[in-house]
Structure formats: structure tokens, C-alpha cells
Amino acid sequence: MSAGFEKADTSSETDGNSAEVDLQTALFDVVCDSLSAAFIIYDKTDHLIFASRQILEFFPLPPEMLKPGTRLRDFLGAIYDTGIRQQYDVRKGGSQSREDWLSQKIASHWRERFDAVERHGTNSWVRFVKRRLPGGYGVTIISDISEDKKREEQWRSDLERVQLTEDILDNLPFPLFVKDRNLTYVAVNLAFCEKYQTTVDEVLGRKSGDLFSQEIANRFEESDRHVLETGEMSVSRQRQISRDGIERDIVSRKHRIGKPGRYFLVSTMQDLPRDGADLDEFDRASAITTSSNQSYRRAYLPVPSPVERREPAAMEAIVPENFSGRKILVVTADLAAETAALRTLSKYGFESCSVRGEDEEERFLEIATSSGISLDLLIIDNQMGMRCLELAEQYGIPALVMDGFQIANELTFQIARHFNRNGRGGAGADTDWEISTSDEVVGLEVLVAEDNDINQIVFSQILEGLGYRHMIAATGDEVVRLWAEHRPQIVLMDISLPGFNGFEAARLIRQMEEAGGEVHTPIIGVLTQAFERDRTECVKSGMDDVIMKPVSPDMLETVFQKYLIEEAMRARN
């Protein structure tokens, strides 16, 4: 009897230990999920105690390699065998052998502290943080820092581009300056400084009135404002007496560059022969001003508006009455390609959605088939497994296999070519299809309310990179006016604006919608700090959601995915 009790007690204790271990493992997995990182813990004999399941997101390892008790050497050997190593690490002596690589890695695991960043593929960077504790236990944390590295490379590229621009400007033989919309000097080159015997630091951040006489400053600013407001180019011929007493005829040209909300004025000055004829531009002038004493002449030239960018004819896709409502499934794990594809398909009237892998694809096709839903086409990323293509064949659905770039940039061309070859609905095989977009597509997509100059540039760069037509308003009054004029598809609303603040502007837009029976425009509050009172006020003013600064392309694409694509799909259904 006693032996039986002892056995029973031991069994109970073992079950308790097992439950405790399971709880610890679950807690570690939760921590790893929250940190978006993978953990490996090993003892002083280099056997794994714990390896989080997130390891499999970094390395395609057999799941049994994560089991406690696995030798660290065997675990690292399995990683080596996957072929994922420092593919871009330049080694003078050639690639390392398996044993040399393992020895190097084991040595790094026994260092008290060791940090390293490895590049795994073209756009993937992984950080390893290793610590050996005094008791002999080791911990390795693995995290994906790809986005940080991309931002770092972009930042470095931007710095190089700025430096290159400065070098080009400083080597121009004629004076050049740039003013912002407030007519403040934001850039000058060396020739400008030499001409006016000043320095860059004395000019930047100042206005013409700080550098010239009031009469000259007023004349400069009159033409500056005209160019900024109208977009016409200013050409001025004038006679100047330099500080060395020499008279010169000078021609000044002013251009407006940039986009609405962030215009800049660029001005150049060049010497002309003293008795030269008028400039050719004067023959094409919309207006000419001549001073009373003939000291200068100015002409304003209309600048033709830039031709709107159009996609190539081959990509001007599919007639709505023939293909409107066609159902397409996109299969890709590439978020950027997925987002671009869904936006394009929605724009041209397709009913579309996406899945991230073969398991999701199989479940989707099973549900669609059982519900009587017929898909017209599968778009499959070539990085997915063969199983994705086999499923398309199994369910009898045509499939196009493309790489991520094609999905993001050539989708309409590929679809048009597919349907041209496989005409449906009684259309002949030689039918030429054309894409026609609706009027709403060519309108304003995103209206940004932001008064900070730097943030305006950030928004513009991101939205231009993502391919969205946008405008920027610097005041609450302006955002309400632009909303009324252009009816954007979405508004990104900073809450601290001059004039009406963001809350007041949102309320006015909602009142105008209600009074005119307008379609609801999604308004997204853009907050600097996560104060609950600000979030509450956003909701009360009629905003649909909030995001936090600093904004990123991924953040904005997520918002657009939710409020542009999904809303359009729901409205169509």
C-alpha cells in the first residue's frame, strides 16, 4: 500500500512539473510574439532548453530541431544546411566550410556579449544578440530589422542625394537661390554668395527685406509671389552696378517647382552683353513690365501644365461591361505586392481578395466552391510553393504566375493579355480590349492636413512613392475648402492646425456631408502623442480612426487598405 502511495505521489509531482514547464513555454512564446523576436536558451553543456516557435519564421528548420535537449551544434548545423547564411558577406578567402562556420558560431555563443547583423537575401536583415550568463546559461535573441535597415539605407541615400545636389549647385557658374512659400531663403549657391559678398549662414532663413533695400526687396517679392501663385515663369532683364563699380546687364529667371502645399521658388541670374537685344522669352510673354527709368524689364511667361502621366496603351485594360464583377484571388506573402494588386484590381472594377499561402488558398477555394462562387483567375506569386499552382489546376481555375514586381507594377498588362488570349462571354479570340477608368478614379485620392513643413515633405514623399494623388493643406480652413472642391477619397487630419483645428475641421466636413447628402469620407486623425482625451475627441468630431506620428509607408498602406479598398468592396457588394 505504502509503495503504491509513494508511486502515486511521484506521478502527481511529475504531472505538476510538466504543467509548469508547459506554462513557462507558453509564457515565453507570448513574450516572443509581443517583442516580434525569436528566443533560444541553452545550458552550459550547449543543449537547448527552449527555442521559440518564431525561429521557424527566420529559418526553414524541421520542427524537431526546436525540442529541448537538442545539441546547439546540431541546431546550428541544421541552419547551415538551409543555405541561409551571410550571402552578402565578402570574404577574401572564399566561402567558409561547414566546420569552420560552426566553430565560429559556437565561439560567438560562448562570448559574454556578442551582437551581429546578417543579411539574408536581398531585402532581409537579421540581428543576433547573444549573452552568456554567469551560471553558464546562454540566451540568443533573433529579430528582423529589415525595415530599420531599409530606412537607414534610404536615409543614407537621401543624404548622398542632398550632398550631390549641393555640390552641383555650388559648381554652377551663375548665382542661384531657392525660396519657400513664405519667401524665405532655403538654399543658395556659392556664386550667389560671391556676387553679394555674403555667406550661406547670413542668407538662409532670411527674406529679401533683410538683405536688400526696401524698394528692391518689394520688387523681388512682388515677382516671387506672382510666380508662386500663378506658376508662370518670371524673366527679368535689369542693369546692375556691382560693388566693384562695373555695370552689367543681368537676366533673372524664376520658376515654381514642387506640388500644391509645398511649392518652392528657384531663381537664377546670368550676365548678358551690355548692349544685347531683348531676350527671346519676351516675344512669348503674357505681360511685360518696364520701369520708368528703364533700369529693368520683366516678362511673365505661361508655363504649360505638365502632361498627366498615363499608363502604356497595352496596360489600358479591360472594358467594364465585359469584365466588371470578375472575381480574382491574389496569392502572395509580399505585403507591398498584395496591397498594390488589390488597389489596381479594385480601381478597374474587379472583385478581388488575397491569401498569404497555400493553406489559406486551399481553405478559400473549398469555401468558395461549396458556396457556389466561381473565380475567374488566380494571381500567384512565384515565391509561393508548387502546391498553389496545383490547387488552381485541381479546381479548374486559370492562373497567372508572376514575381512580386510584376504583381505590383504590371498587373493590368498581364490580366489584359490573359483575357485577350482567353476571351469569354462569346467574345472572339482576336477581340482587342481596352481599359476605361471611371471619372472618380482620376480625382483626388488623399487630402493631408498638416502645417509642419518637415511633416509635409514626409507625407508627400510617402504618398508619391505609393502612387497616390494627393494634396496638402496647411490650415484647418484650407482643408475644409479643398475637401469641398475636390471630394478626396480619404482625409489624413492633423489635430493641431492653425485656423480651425483638426477637430473643428472634421466637424465642419461632417456637417457639410449631412447637409448635402454627400458620401461619407473617411477621416483619419494623425496624433503626435497617444493621449486618450485626443482619441476621444477624434471620435466625437466624426473621425473614423487615428494613427500615430511618425507615419510610415506600411502604416498608411494599412489605413488605405482598410478605408479605401475594403470600403469600395463593401459598397459594390
Side-chain angles (χ1 to χ4, degrees):
M1 292 289 289
S2 62
F5 279 112
E6 289 175 2
K7 183 176 181 180
D9 291 344
T10 303
S11 175
S12 176
E13 184 177 343
T14 302
D15 292 341
N17 289 338
S18 176
E20 184 177 348
V21 170
D22 289 342
L23 177 60
Q24 290 175 346
T25 301
L27 289 174
F28 271 124
D29 276 332
V30 170
V31 171
C32 293
D33 273 336
S34 65
L35 296 177
S36 298
F39 277 60
I40 306 170
I41 303 175
Y42 37 94
D43 61 20
K44 54 189 175 184
T45 63
D46 279 353
H47 285 77
L48 298 191
I49 298 175
F50 170 77
S52 69
R53 55 183 171 79
Q54 289 78 11
I55 294 290
L56 302 180
E57 298 176 7
F58 293 92
F59 307 107
L61 296 172
E64 56 266 21
M65 295 306 301
L66 305 185
K67 291 181 178 179
T70 302
R71 288 199 316 162
L72 182 60
R73 174 174 286 273
D74 296 336
F75 175 82
L76 293 173
I79 291 178
Y80 182 94
D81 294 337
T82 64
I84 298 180
R85 301 185 296 281
Q86 290 174 272
Q87 300 175 17
Y88 292 79
D89 185 20
V90 179
R91 301 183 181 93
K92 294 181 180 180
S95 60
Q96 288 179 306
S97 67
R98 190 176 192 274
E99 283 304 314
D100 289 342
W101 188 85
L102 286 174
S103 298
Q104 184 185 74
K105 292 299 179 186
I106 292 292
S108 70
H109 280 273
W110 270 100
R111 293 174 62 175
E112 183 180 354
R113 303 173 68 88
F114 182 79
D115 289 14
V117 173
E118 296 182 1
R119 188 169 186 172
H120 294 171
T122 306
N123 294 308
S124 177
W125 286 264
V126 179
R127 184 185 183 194
F128 296 85
V129 177
K130 303 175 184 179
R131 300 290 185 265
R132 182 66 74 161
L133 306 179
Y137 290 100
V139 179
T140 297
I141 303 173
I142 307 173
S143 54
D144 187 342
I145 60 169
S146 301
E147 291 305 316
D148 292 337
K149 292 294 289 185
K150 290 175 186 176
R151 282 194 290 269
E152 181 182 321
E153 288 197 343
Q154 183 62 48
W155 175 75
R156 186 179 296 110
S157 174
D158 291 342
L159 281 182
E160 291 174 353
R161 187 162 53 247
V162 169
Q163 184 61 53
L164 176 62
T165 303
E166 291 179 351
D167 290 344
I168 292 172
L169 295 181
D170 284 341
N171 281 281
L172 292 176
F174 51 83
L176 177 147
F177 66 80
V178 181
K179 292 182 179 181
D180 64 15
R181 62 184 181 182
N182 298 316
L183 303 185
T184 300
Y185 288 95
V186 294
V188 295
N189 66 351
L190 290 180
F192 179 93
C193 295
E194 291 173 358
K195 179 177 180 62
Y196 293 103
Q197 297 181 15
T198 185
T199 65
V200 172
D201 292 337
E202 291 175 343
V203 175
L204 296 185
R206 305 178 74 180
K207 296 189 175 185
S208 297
D210 302 322
L211 304 174
F212 304 101
S213 69
Q214 193 61 45
E215 178 185 354
I216 293 176
N218 290 341
R219 173 154 45 95
F220 284 175
E221 293 198 356
E222 177 270 327
S223 64
D224 293 347
R225 293 192 184 282
H226 181 91
V227 173
L228 284 173
E229 291 172 2
T230 67
E232 291 188 324
M233 181 177 71
S234 166
V235 180
S236 174
R237 177 175 177 173
Q238 55 195 310
R239 177 158 295 183
Q240 291 185 350
I241 301 176
S242 62
R243 296 185 181 183
D244 57 10
I246 299 176
E247 290 190 13
R248 292 184 175 88
D249 283 337
I250 304 295
V251 59
S252 298
R253 293 182 176 88
K254 297 179 182 180
H255 303 260
R256 186 180 75 179
I257 64 171
K259 297 184 180 297
R262 61 183 192 97
Y263 285 133
F264 292 88
L265 180 87
V266 177
S267 179
T268 59
M269 289 171 280
Q270 291 178 279
D271 289 354
L272 287 178
R274 285 189 57 180
D275 299 321
D278 268 346
L279 304 170
D280 292 339
E281 287 99 333
F282 278 68
D283 296 333
R284 296 181 283 113
S286 63
I288 297 178
T289 300
T290 302
S291 68
S292 57
N293 58 7
Q294 296 294 312
S295 62
Y296 80 94
R297 299 188 74 200
R298 171 176 292 114
Y300 291 117
L301 308 183
V303 176
S305 59
V307 178
E308 286 197 6
R309 183 175 63 86
R310 288 173 50 84
E311 293 176 317
M315 298 178 68
E316 295 191 350
I318 302 151
V319 178
E321 57 266 27
N322 287 314
F323 292 101
S324 179
R326 294 287 186 179
K327 298 175 177 61
I328 294 182
L329 177 66
V330 180
V331 186
T332 179
D334 185 332
L335 179 61
E338 172 194 354
T339 304
L342 293 179
R343 184 170 66 238
T344 299
L345 293 170
S346 175
K347 180 169 66 174
Y348 293 122
F350 290 99
E351 294 182 15
S352 60
C353 59
S354 64
V355 294
R356 297 291 180 84
E358 57 189 40
D359 292 339
E360 290 186 19
E361 178 189 358
E362 184 171 17
R363 288 195 295 272
F364 184 95
L365 295 179
E366 287 176 356
I367 295 171
T369 302
S370 63
S371 303
I373 298 174
S374 175
L375 294 178
D376 296 283
L377 185 63
L378 288 182
I379 306 295
I380 300 176
D381 193 322
N382 66 358
Q383 296 300 311
M384 310 304 293
M386 280 298 296
R387 175 68 175 152
C388 293
L389 192 57
E390 293 169 357
L391 286 168
E393 295 175 356
Q394 177 183 332
Y395 284 87
I397 304 172
L400 292 178
V401 179
M402 312 181 199
D403 59 32
F405 177 84
Q406 289 175 309
I407 292 176
N409 299 279
E410 301 177 3
L411 190 59
T412 50
F413 170 76
Q414 298 291 343
I415 292 176
R417 186 167 63 175
H418 165 78
F419 284 121
N420 284 342
R421 290 175 177 174
N422 306 281
R424 301 189 181 190
D430 296 330
T431 304
D432 291 327
W433 308 107
E434 295 181 350
I435 279 185
S436 61
T437 60
S438 62
D439 291 338
E440 62 185 5
V441 172
V442 299
L444 180 65
E445 292 175 296
V446 184
L447 175 59
V448 180
E450 176 58 68
D451 62 322
N452 182 279
D453 291 340
I454 300 300
N455 289 337
Q456 288 178 356
I457 294 173
V458 171
F459 272 112
S460 294
Q461 288 177 340
I462 292 176
L463 293 171
E464 287 169 12
L466 295 177
Y468 287 95
R469 291 178 294 278
H470 68 281
M471 296 181 72
I472 295 181
T475 68
D477 310 65
E478 187 178 7
V479 73
V480 174
R481 177 179 62 80
L482 291 177
W483 176 86
E485 291 177 1
H486 300 280
R487 292 299 192 270
Q489 296 179 29
I490 193 168
V491 178
L492 303 178
M493 183 78 75
D494 183 20
I495 61 172
S496 56
L497 295 170
F500 297 132
N501 62 33
F503 306 128
E504 295 167 334
R507 289 191 188 95
L508 283 172
I509 290 174
R510 293 295 181 235
Q511 291 171 9
M512 294 166 69
E513 284 178 342
E514 185 176 354
E518 300 287 344
V519 175
H520 179 89
T521 303
I523 302 178
I524 311 301
V526 184
L527 308 183
T528 304
Q529 295 176 313
F531 291 136
E532 192 59 34
R533 63 176 181 272
D534 288 338
R535 292 177 179 271
T536 303
E537 189 63 23
C538 285
V539 174
K540 289 181 179 179
S541 64
M543 298 187 197
D544 301 88
D545 207 341
V546 297
I547 57 177
M548 304 300 300
K549 295 179 182 178
V551 296
S552 67
D554 289 344
M555 182 189 299
L556 293 185
E557 277 289 25
T558 301
V559 170
F560 298 153
Q561 177 84 13
K562 179 177 180 180
Y563 289 98
L564 295 185
I565 297 176
E566 291 183 4
E567 288 289 340
M569 293 291 292
R570 280 197 288 271
R572 212 172 5 254
N573 291 334

